[in-house]
Amino acid sequence: MSSAGTATSWQGRRVLVTGHTGFKGGWLTLWLHQLGAEVAGLSLTPATDPSLFEAARIGDLVDHHIADIRDLAAVERVIDQVRPEVIFHLAAQPLVRLSYAQPVETFATNVLGTVHVMDAARRIGGVAALVCITTDKCYENREWIWPYRESDPMGGHDPYSSSKGCAELAIAAYRRSYHLTGAAGEDPMALASVRAGNVIGGGDWSLDRLVPDLVRAFEQGSAPEIRAPLSVRPWQHVLEALSGYLLLAERMLARAPGFADAWNFGPADEVARPVGWIVETMRAAWGGDAAESLPFSGAVPHEAGLLKLDTSKARALLGWRPVLRLEEALEWIVTWHKQVGAGGDARAATLDQIAAYRARVER
């Protein structure tokens, strides 16, 4: 596997992470800081309490900007001040069920917010690589057994999924309209999108997500309520996805042709597991008196029953592949939360797992 996140690629490099107060953004910010990057963040205040951002004291390590990506002037002001060489755009409304209650906010954040970041970066200049993070749910899900490829149509049944499909169309339009490929003789900024979903890891306290809901239930000694135990998803540890994002950005910075494009990052097809399997495996890993699950008692809006990603492109052209078995990923989450729950340092727990993951990649 190609090794992502090398210090020589990131030492002293100015990087802006939007959404750095969120779960994935927090892990990415800590990894970049560990690699020696000069990291700035643009985000709203943390959406959960507790949050990885507060628990790991991430604000102490970055040039911290509170701003709303729906505000173009604010986005322009931060990018002009930071002058990043690389932008990882993660800021989003990330929850399917919340999107049903807040569709306008979801579309404004996920579509127009992405346009704001792209347009400000393009016009201000100095950005060599912009990686926009969307989701595996951006595809028009036909509930078929075949995994989705990057060339498959965008879509989305619910407002969240649709907003991410729309964002992907906007990204493709910007890349084609303004020649944002990083190729010689064109705009030096390379623009890519990355599609990964069902990303799990320690420090995620989001509502209406399976693994955080399980952790809360196990810590409280209550029985978790499960909405769709037979639904199959491409689960993966957050470090698997982030390693792909970093590797792609490194290729773009090297101005290698063909990398300013759309990319899937996910587990092998045969590793996709149903929700019920995750619940029981996580319960066994937690041990003790972790309660058995119960059927969900509330109303259940539409959610996809089957979703898989084809990652052939990332494996063949980037040399990327997952290194953690799903059982290991769940064990790492249990270890993180039990360590932090017992009074351990959240930043140290996160950095330790980043170091352990990098060692696995470099074997």
Side-chain angles (χ1 to χ4, degrees), residues 282-351:
M282 184 95 173
R283 180 169 170 262
W286 193 273
D289 56 354
E292 293 187 17
S293 61
L294 298 172
F296 190 70
S297 58
V300 181
H302 175 274
E303 291 187 71
L306 180 62
L307 179 59
K308 299 179 182 180
L309 293 181
D310 186 327
T311 59
S312 302
K313 180 178 172 182
R315 293 168 184 257
L317 301 183
L318 281 173
W320 174 90
R321 62 175 176 81
V323 299
L324 292 177
R325 293 181 296 106
L326 185 51
E327 294 87 345
E328 290 179 295
L330 295 174
E331 289 168 2
W332 283 30
I333 295 168
V334 169
T335 298
W336 193 99
H337 277 280
K338 288 201 166 187
Q339 181 177 334
V340 172
D345 183 82
R347 184 193 294 176
T350 307
L351 292 175

Side-chain angles (χ1 to χ4, degrees), residues 120-208:
R122 177 183 67 87
R123 288 184 291 102
I124 291 170
V127 178
L130 169 53
V131 180
C132 293
I133 286 75
T134 64
T135 179
D136 58 354
K137 298 173 184 64
C138 65
Y139 293 104
E140 182 62 43
N141 193 333
R142 306 184 191 282
E143 299 282 354
W144 58 25
I145 61 173
W146 299 282
Y148 293 93
R149 296 173 297 177
E150 289 86 349
S151 57
D152 284 327
M154 298 293 98
H157 181 282
D158 56 88
Y160 168 75
S161 302
S162 177
S163 74
K164 288 296 193 174
C166 291
E168 283 283 357
L169 294 176
I171 294 164
Y174 261 73
R175 186 164 48 239
R176 290 192 295 258
S177 298
Y178 303 109
H179 309 292
L180 303 181
T181 66
E186 295 185 353
D187 192 302
M189 187 174 92
L191 173 63
S193 64
V194 293
R195 303 161 183 176
N198 299 97
V199 171
I200 56 178
D204 186 1
W205 282 284
S206 300
L207 297 174
D208 280 328

Side-chain angles (χ1 to χ4, degrees), residues 6-251:
T6 58
T8 54
S9 298
W10 298 101
Q11 183 69 43
R13 197 177 290 280
R14 296 187 308 280
V15 181
L16 175 65
V17 177
T18 75
H20 68 298
T21 63
F23 160 60
K24 283 175 70 176
W27 276 85
L28 178 59
T29 298
L30 286 172
W31 194 344
L32 285 165
H33 184 269
Q34 186 184 65
L35 293 170
E38 297 176 8
V39 187
L42 183 164
S43 186
L44 298 176
T45 56
T48 63
D49 182 17
S51 70
L52 178 62
F53 180 79
E54 296 290 351
R57 308 178 308 285
I58 293 172
D60 297 343
L61 304 177
V62 301
D63 179 13
H64 177 48
H65 298 266
I66 294 297
D68 191 331
I69 60 170
R70 294 174 294 182
D71 183 343
L72 177 58
V75 173
E76 290 174 336
R77 184 165 56 251
V78 173
I79 292 178
D80 187 50
Q81 179 178 336
V82 173
R83 293 286 171 162
E85 301 167 74
V86 182
I87 299 176
F88 291 97
H89 173 47
L90 291 86
Q93 192 300 90
L95 301 175
V96 172
R97 279 164 56 85
L98 182 60
S99 77
Y100 281 100
Q102 299 181 357
V104 174
E105 294 86 344
T106 298
F107 278 100
T109 300
N110 294 351
V111 184
L112 197 54
T114 298
V115 171
H116 288 166
V117 172
M118 292 190 297
D119 205 60
R122 177 183 67 87
R123 288 184 291 102
I124 291 170
V127 178
L130 169 53
V131 180
C132 293
I133 286 75
T134 64
T135 179
D136 58 354
K137 298 173 184 64
C138 65
Y139 293 104
E140 182 62 43
N141 193 333
R142 306 184 191 282
E143 299 282 354
W144 58 25
I145 61 173
W146 299 282
Y148 293 93
R149 296 173 297 177
E150 289 86 349
S151 57
D152 284 327
M154 298 293 98
H157 181 282
D158 56 88
Y160 168 75
S161 302
S162 177
S163 74
K164 288 296 193 174
C166 291
E168 283 283 357
L169 294 176
I171 294 164
Y174 261 73
R175 186 164 48 239
R176 290 192 295 258
S177 298
Y178 303 109
H179 309 292
L180 303 181
T181 66
E186 295 185 353
D187 192 302
M189 187 174 92
L191 173 63
S193 64
V194 293
R195 303 161 183 176
N198 299 97
V199 171
I200 56 178
D204 186 1
W205 282 284
S206 300
L207 297 174
D208 280 328
R209 279 187 182 157
L210 177 63
V211 171
D213 286 348
L214 291 175
V215 169
R216 273 188 290 270
F218 295 157
E219 288 180 334
Q220 297 166 6
S222 59
E225 293 189 355
I226 305 304
R227 289 197 298 270
L230 300 180
S231 292
V232 175
R233 297 287 185 272
W235 313 95
Q236 62 181 323
H237 194 275
V238 61
L239 291 174
E240 304 275 34
L242 296 183
S243 70
Y245 305 169
L246 288 168
L247 183 59
L248 175 60
E250 289 167 14
R251 296 287 192 274

